[in-house]
């Protein structure tokens, strides 16, 4: 089954399947389907050796939840080409720090996908923190609404801060204004 | 004051366009209430049953005359002719229609103002000393630093959905005038042994249901690291602050749970990676921003103006106002004036549109076109020539802005309370009014002397009742308004949280309780001892005894 997602600012079709862990389920026993998948951090950690080749090819990605520590993936980043970050609620801002750490601290350059409660009005902040794939909850936006939503990625053109999208803060990348005596 | 460049203006215009689009989509049914809520809150808009509320940011309290006039215009065009000044140097309007808010934001943007992040779980308006740049006890001007941090905090992509609201203040003088220890981050401008400028960093302060004073987590962070150090604190908080319980989500709970030492260790570990990175401040950027706060073109004046001196002798009422409402200035021949928004009969912090216009005119004529808000909910003109004080006083008196009560009992800090705010458990303005009415006699007020009485309508503590010499907190008991009284709280360098004196009072008892507290003080004080000093010397017990002595219980006493 295919979903519409936003990749690098454009709507595309995507078939990657999300694997979730039922409460109490054993990560070592969880079925991992063939094809493009995103598996929970727990499954990855339990079966890293078995899944490593699929990760290296980009077929298999790992997703981490809002409360999970991204540093647990630090040693795997050379192998991983797809990482997902789950937003259980759109007001849960932990995923932004996860992305900032992955891009800034850990130097991860593969696909970084925001999924779950991912809304248009956070697209600008999400992309600035380093998410290049935005996957709103299935059914949240119809096709025209998702196309229109891409515009929100560019809500701010010259943000003040340094972030994944802007390697320098504004005061280092622009010649800023000085006071003018004629100012009212 | 700071003037926007094309980047500031463009970014703000984009913010207005963003919210206009969001409002349109909300009204068209494309955004749910829950989805729209944080968006409107971060643009200053509360929607409440009785009255919506729109909160405008005044960064570090500075207002240019044209901004005051814009506020007056908004009060007339969109509200009922007045505005409310808050303890966090924000301005609140009460009856805007949602449909009008994008236009109000556009009007504000035209004078370099906004309502960014005045609510919601994000970095809020940053406050600093209202007498920045003119105070004699200043170590250095905090405004460039506050402006630099304002820009860093504005639309920060990583910190827009924190566990809870986040407030930052700067202290820059020997006397703390911002209540630094009640902030999520308190930045105390200091010089180290080598004379280098930096910040003593406090974290984990806050009032609310669980009042906690901030703890020092770094004795000295050199100025280039202002942003990276704050970012490290915010990142630790964003990742590890509690999100399961609204009442335990502030950073103060995290700092207390970890302990200051462990919190510091985590911040330092985080900072190790970002220190000296791109966010490290440059001399050029600091000088660029500081140039906006260069001193105004002061005249060279004698230290004491002879005309002013003779008017002080001739006009007792003028002299009384000068004694209470006029402060020393760093420059010879100048003074800072505090215009009181605490006239008996009007709600503390409220100001009418025509008063805003008058103050704008006085700012232009007497104070280089600027005014400053104080966290005590008054308005200051920082740079007035002594020679102009009498003319200003005459006009201010006529406009109802010259009540000579700064620092006295009737200079009450008070939140809007249950009359306006949905969060409130009880009304606070009628309590302030009753106290002001009862103690309106100037001689009595002067006899009581310096005292701070703070009123909050609920545990959110917008009226800073925890740090009032007398604090009054509205509580709801079985749908009745009751008031809990604490004493011994204090702001300033020795900030202290007050202690509750006992069972709460019904509304018609509260003025009597305050009167008994004052009577106790008058009976037991030493010469030249302020109320707070007496409380500290003898403790709260003598006050408690006398306040509750022979108390007639009209209703069942409710303990809280």
């Amino acid at each position: 089954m295919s979903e519409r997602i936003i990749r690098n600012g454009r709507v595309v079709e995507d078939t990657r399947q999300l694997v979730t862990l039922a409460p109490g389920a054993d990560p070592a026993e969880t079925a991992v389907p063939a094809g493009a998948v995103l598996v929970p951090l727990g499954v990855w950690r339990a079966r890293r050796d078995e899944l490593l080749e699929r990760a290296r090819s980009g077929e298999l990605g790992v997703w981490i939840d809002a409360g999970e520590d991204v540093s647990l993936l630090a040693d795997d980043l050379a192998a991983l080409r797809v990482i997902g970050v789950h937003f259980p609620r759109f007001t849960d801002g932990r995923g932004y720090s996860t992305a900032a750490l992955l891009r800034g601290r850990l130097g991860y350059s593969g696909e970084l996908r925001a999924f779950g409660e991912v809304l248009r009005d956070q697209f600008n902040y999400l992309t600035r923190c380093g998410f290049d794939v935005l996957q709103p909850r299935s059914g949240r936006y119809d096709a025209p609404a998702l196309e229109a939503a891409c515009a929100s990625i560019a809500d701010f053109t010259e943000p003040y801060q340094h972030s994944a999208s802007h390697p320098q803060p504004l005061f280092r990348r622009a010649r800023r204004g000085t006071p003018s005596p004629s100012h009212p | 004051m700071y003037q926007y460049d094309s980047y500031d203006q463009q970014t703000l215009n984009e913010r207005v366009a963003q919210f206009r689009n969001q409002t349109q989509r909300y009204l068209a049914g494309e955004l749910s209430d829950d989805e729209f809520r944080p968006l409107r809150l971060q643009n200053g808009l509360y929607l409440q049953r009785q009255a919506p509320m729109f909160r405008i940011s005044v960064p570090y309290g500075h207002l240019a005359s044209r901004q005051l006039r814009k506020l007056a215009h908004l009060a007339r065009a969109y509200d009922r002719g007045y505005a409310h000044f808050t303890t966090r140097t924000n301005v609140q309007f009460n009856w805007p229609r949602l449909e009008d808010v994008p236009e109000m934001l556009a009007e504000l943007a035209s004078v370099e103002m906004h309502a960014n992040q005045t609510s919601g779980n994000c970095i809020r308006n940053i406050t600093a000393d209202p007498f920045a740049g003119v105070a004699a006890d200043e170590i250095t001007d905090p405004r460039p630093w506050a402006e630099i941090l304002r820009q860093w905090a504005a639309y920060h992509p990583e910190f827009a959905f924190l566990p809870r609201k986040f407030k930052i203040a700067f202290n820059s003088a020997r006397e703390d005038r911002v209540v630094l220890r009640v902030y999520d981050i308190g930045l105390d401008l200091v010089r180290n042994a080598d004379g280098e400028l930096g910040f003593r960093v406090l974290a984990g302060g806050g009032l609310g249901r669980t009042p906690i004073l901030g703890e020092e987590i770094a004795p000295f962070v050199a100025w280039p690291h202002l942003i990276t150090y704050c970012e490290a604190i915010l990142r630790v908080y964003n990742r590890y602050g509690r999100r399961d319980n609204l009442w335990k989500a502030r950073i103060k709970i995290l700092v207390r749970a970890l302990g200051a030492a462990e919190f510091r260790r985590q911040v330092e570990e985080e900072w190790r990676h970002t220190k000296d990175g791109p966010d490290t401040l440059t001399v050029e950027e600091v000088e660029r921003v500081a140039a906006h706060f260069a001193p105004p073109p002061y005249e060279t004046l004698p230290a004491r103006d002879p005309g002013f001196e003779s008017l002080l002798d001739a006009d007792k009422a003028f002299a009384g106002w000068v004694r209470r409402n006029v402060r020393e200035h760093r420059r010879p021949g100048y003074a800072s004036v505090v215009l009181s928004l605490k006239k008996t009969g009007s709600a503390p912090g409220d100001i009418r549109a025509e008063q805003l216009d008058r103050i704008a005119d006085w700012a232009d004529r007497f104070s280089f076109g600027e005014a400053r808000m104080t966290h005590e909910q008054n308005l200051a003109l920082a740079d007035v020539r002594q020679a102009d004080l009498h003319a200003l006083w005459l006009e201010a008196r006529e406009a109802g802005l010259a009540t000579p009560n700064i620092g006295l009992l009737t200079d009450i800090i008070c939140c809007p309370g249950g009359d306006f705010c949905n969060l409130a458990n009880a009304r606070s303005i009628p309590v302030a009014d009753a106290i002001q009415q009862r103690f309106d006699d100037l001689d009595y007020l002067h006899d009581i002397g310096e005292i701070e009485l703070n009123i909050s309508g609920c545990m959110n503590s917008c009226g800073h009742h925890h740090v009032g010499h007398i604090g009054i907190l509205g509580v709801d008991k079985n749908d009745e308004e009751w008031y809990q009284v604490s004493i011994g709280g204090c702001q300033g360098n020795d900030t202290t949280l007050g202690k509750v004196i006992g069972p709460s009072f019904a509304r018609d008892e509260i003025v009597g309780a305050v009167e008994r507290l004052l009577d106790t003080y008058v009976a037991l004080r030493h010469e030249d001892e302020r109320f707070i000093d007496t409380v500290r010397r003898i403790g709260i017990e003598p006050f408690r005894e006398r306040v509750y002595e022979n108390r007639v219980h009209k209703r069942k006493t409710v303990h809280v």
Side-chain angles (χ1 to χ4, degrees):
Chain A
M1 201 183 90
S2 151
E3 288 271 347
R4 279 184 302 271
I5 62 167
I6 296 171
R7 182 188 299 280
N8 294 321
R10 296 180 55 188
V11 176
V12 295
E13 296 288 327
D14 177 75
T15 57
R16 188 172 293 276
Q17 278 190 70
L18 181 71
V19 177
T20 54
L21 211 52
D26 181 355
E29 301 296 319
T30 301
V32 178
V37 291
L38 206 52
V39 302
L41 178 65
V43 170
W44 169 255
R45 284 167 63 78
R47 295 155 65 178
R48 187 176 181 280
D49 293 346
E50 174 196 338
L51 301 173
L52 192 59
E53 278 315 305
R54 290 181 67 188
R56 284 212 170 101
S57 74
E59 187 187 62
L60 180 137
V62 177
W63 68 270
I64 52 184
D65 213 340
E68 290 179 320
D69 185 357
V70 64
S71 69
L72 294 174
L73 280 179
D75 295 335
D76 300 331
L77 293 178
L80 287 171
R81 290 176 54 195
V82 179
I83 295 177
V85 177
H86 180 231
F87 285 79
R89 291 173 299 144
F90 78 95
T91 51
D92 187 329
R94 287 177 288 185
Y96 295 90
S97 286
T98 301
L101 288 168
L102 272 170
R103 294 297 197 204
R105 176 90 25 99
L106 302 171
Y108 174 70
S109 60
E111 174 183 315
L112 188 54
R113 173 183 297 230
F115 71 99
E117 292 301 314
V118 172
L119 296 170
R120 167 180 180 165
D121 294 293
Q122 284 76 53
F123 281 2
N124 177 264
Y125 289 165
L126 289 165
T127 51
R128 281 162 62 193
C129 284
F131 289 104
D132 52 357
V133 171
L134 306 169
Q135 181 174 13
R137 176 171 44 79
S138 183
R140 173 61 187 85
Y141 297 107
D142 61 20
L146 195 64
E147 286 290 348
C150 292
S152 290
I153 292 171
D155 274 355
F156 295 104
T157 49
E158 286 288 358
Y160 290 113
Q161 300 81 8
H162 128 257
S163 67
S165 62
H166 292 78
Q168 299 292 329
L170 184 62
F171 68 83
R172 286 182 189 268
R173 57 174 198 271
R175 192 171 167 78
R176 302 290 312 273
T178 46
S180 113
S182 62
H183 197 78
Chain B
M1 61 190 277
Y2 186 76
Q3 301 163 17
Y4 279 17
D5 69 0
S6 59
Y7 292 100
D8 297 305
Q9 193 65 53
Q10 178 185 325
T11 304
L12 180 51
N13 293 347
E14 287 170 345
R15 173 65 154 197
V16 175
Q18 181 191 48
F19 188 64
R20 200 186 287 279
N21 176 277
Q22 290 166 342
T23 305
Q24 282 164 0
R25 284 189 279 120
Y26 172 70
L27 293 172
E30 295 170 31
L31 276 171
S32 70
D33 286 342
D34 284 347
E35 289 170 354
F36 186 55
R37 185 179 302 110
L39 309 179
R40 64 171 166 76
L41 288 174
Q42 297 207 15
N43 284 281
L45 182 64
Y46 287 75
L47 294 177
Q48 312 184 125
R49 261 174 293 124
Q50 295 143 295
M53 189 271 277
F54 179 49
R55 181 185 289 153
I56 294 162
S57 174
V58 181
Y60 37 93
H62 268 236
L63 281 164
S65 56
R66 63 181 187 139
Q67 296 176 325
L68 285 160
R69 291 191 182 94
K70 180 60 75 179
L71 294 174
H73 164 70
L74 293 179
R76 288 193 190 92
Y78 299 99
D79 201 305
R80 299 182 181 176
Y82 66 92
H84 175 74
F85 284 16
T86 78
T87 49
R88 297 210 62 261
T89 71
N90 293 309
V91 176
Q92 294 179 178
F93 287 117
N94 265 110
W95 285 273
R97 299 182 326 136
L98 166 62
E99 294 80 349
D100 291 334
V101 168
E103 202 47 42
M104 295 174 82
L105 288 169
E107 291 226 31
L108 288 166
S110 74
V111 293
E112 303 176 7
M113 292 186 80
H114 55 73
N116 292 334
Q117 297 169 208
T118 52
S119 182
N121 297 333
C122 52
I123 305 171
R124 303 286 191 89
N125 187 20
I126 293 167
T127 54
D129 187 356
F131 301 105
V134 303
D137 66 341
E138 185 168 278
I139 290 147
T140 188
D141 193 334
R143 295 171 296 178
W145 307 104
E147 176 59 29
I148 285 167
L149 215 53
R150 181 193 75 81
Q151 296 187 16
W152 168 76
Y155 331 111
H156 197 295
E158 191 180 337
F159 304 129
F161 295 98
L162 298 168
R164 198 77 177 85
K165 59 188 171 182
F166 202 91
K167 302 174 181 180
I168 301 175
F170 285 88
N171 173 50
S172 51
R174 303 205 190 287
E175 180 198 346
D176 167 23
R177 286 179 284 266
V178 298
V179 212
L180 196 70
R181 292 193 69 192
V182 307
Y183 277 85
D184 296 284
I185 295 180
L187 295 161
D188 197 11
L189 275 151
V190 291
R191 288 190 189 280
N192 67 8
D194 298 330
E196 190 189 8
L197 194 67
F199 305 89
R200 186 173 73 96
V201 183
L202 312 182
L207 296 175
R209 179 180 287 195
T210 313
I212 297 177
L213 298 179
E215 303 244 24
E216 180 182 295
I217 61 157
F220 185 82
V221 173
W223 66 263
H225 309 301
L226 173 65
I227 290 176
T228 55
Y229 200 87
C230 287
E231 184 186 69
I233 294 173
L234 262 299
R235 187 170 284 160
V236 169
Y237 172 54
N238 191 40
R239 296 182 74 197
Y240 302 114
R242 284 181 64 172
R243 291 174 185 266
D244 60 329
N245 182 339
L246 181 72
W247 301 106
K248 297 187 186 300
R250 293 284 295 270
I251 194 175
K252 61 190 175 187
I253 303 296
L254 177 66
V255 174
R256 196 172 64 172
L258 294 174
E262 171 59 16
F263 180 76
R264 178 189 305 119
R265 192 196 63 74
Q266 293 191 13
V267 169
E268 297 275 334
E269 166 58 25
E270 176 58 40
W271 188 44
R272 195 168 63 78
H273 299 280
T274 54
K275 186 171 184 276
D276 301 317
D279 285 321
T280 305
L281 285 169
T282 60
V283 172
E284 294 72 28
E285 174 63 357
V286 174
E287 285 181 349
R288 178 188 80 83
V289 178
H292 290 264
F293 300 98
Y298 290 119
E299 296 169 40
T300 302
L301 298 171
R304 303 297 289 178
D305 180 78
F308 166 64
E309 300 275 314
S310 61
L311 281 163
L312 278 183
D313 291 338
D315 192 332
K316 191 169 164 249
F318 174 57
W321 176 75
V322 168
R323 194 160 58 244
R324 291 290 356 147
N325 296 37
V326 174
R327 293 172 47 92
E328 294 275 330
H329 195 286
R330 198 189 282 180
R331 295 283 301 205
Y334 283 87
S336 297
V337 168
V338 183
L339 299 166
S340 172
L341 303 187
K342 311 296 177 65
K343 185 177 161 60
T344 299
S346 69
D350 274 13
I351 187 162
R352 298 194 312 276
E354 51 278 20
Q355 291 176 313
L356 286 163
D357 278 333
R358 295 293 299 275
I359 294 170
D361 288 343
W362 301 334
D364 282 339
R365 283 158 58 204
F366 301 125
S367 196
F368 301 102
E370 287 181 27
R372 289 116 178 263
M373 295 171 65
T374 74
H375 85 263
E376 292 93 349
Q377 301 173 284
N378 293 309
L379 206 72
L381 296 172
D383 296 294
V384 182
R385 297 188 315 171
Q386 286 177 7
D388 291 330
L389 286 171
H390 194 259
L392 171 58
W393 172 68
L394 287 174
E395 294 192 40
R397 194 168 61 160
E398 184 209 318
L401 293 164
T403 309
N405 64 346
I406 300 305
L408 299 180
L409 179 64
T410 53
D411 185 10
I412 295 171
I413 294 179
C414 180
C415 73
D419 292 302
F420 297 98
C421 179
N422 251 20
L423 303 172
N425 290 324
R427 281 169 286 179
S428 48
I429 293 170
V431 174
D433 184 58
I435 292 168
Q436 288 176 325
Q437 301 280 359
R438 172 64 190 80
F439 305 105
D440 200 32
D441 180 75
L442 260 183
D443 291 331
Y444 180 76
L445 288 179
H446 279 110
D447 179 52
I448 295 301
E450 291 188 358
I451 185 166
E452 290 160 10
L453 192 151
N454 299 355
I455 307 173
S456 300
C458 76
M459 265 305 182
N460 286 301
S461 316
C462 295
H464 292 182
H465 65 278
H466 296 294
V467 291
H469 299 175
I470 297 176
I472 298 177
L473 166 67
V475 290
D476 171 69
K477 290 290 159 190
N478 307 319
D479 289 332
E480 287 179 5
E481 295 173 305
W482 288 76
Y483 297 89
Q484 187 184 71
V485 174
S486 57
I487 62 172
C490 179
Q491 55 182 19
N493 291 8
D494 46 2
T495 295
T496 311
L497 302 170
K499 292 198 177 82
V500 177
I501 60 168
S504 46
F505 299 92
R507 182 131 72 88
D508 57 5
E509 295 178 300
I510 192 74
V511 174
V514 171
E515 190 164 15
R516 284 178 177 222
L517 285 172
L518 296 171
D519 289 347
T520 308
Y521 158 64
V522 169
L524 301 177
R525 67 181 166 187
H526 289 171
E527 203 177 346
D528 293 333
E529 195 175 54
R530 298 175 306 160
F531 177 88
I532 183 68
D533 301 322
T534 306
V535 176
R536 283 182 183 148
R537 178 172 54 80
I538 65 178
I540 71 169
E541 205 48 47
F543 290 90
R544 186 207 308 269
E545 276 169 23
R546 292 188 187 216
V547 169
Y548 292 98
E549 193 177 43
N550 304 323
R551 183 182 180 214
V552 180
H553 297 272
K554 285 181 300 184
R555 283 173 273 197
K556 182 172 173 288
T557 301
V558 181
H559 294 264
V560 292

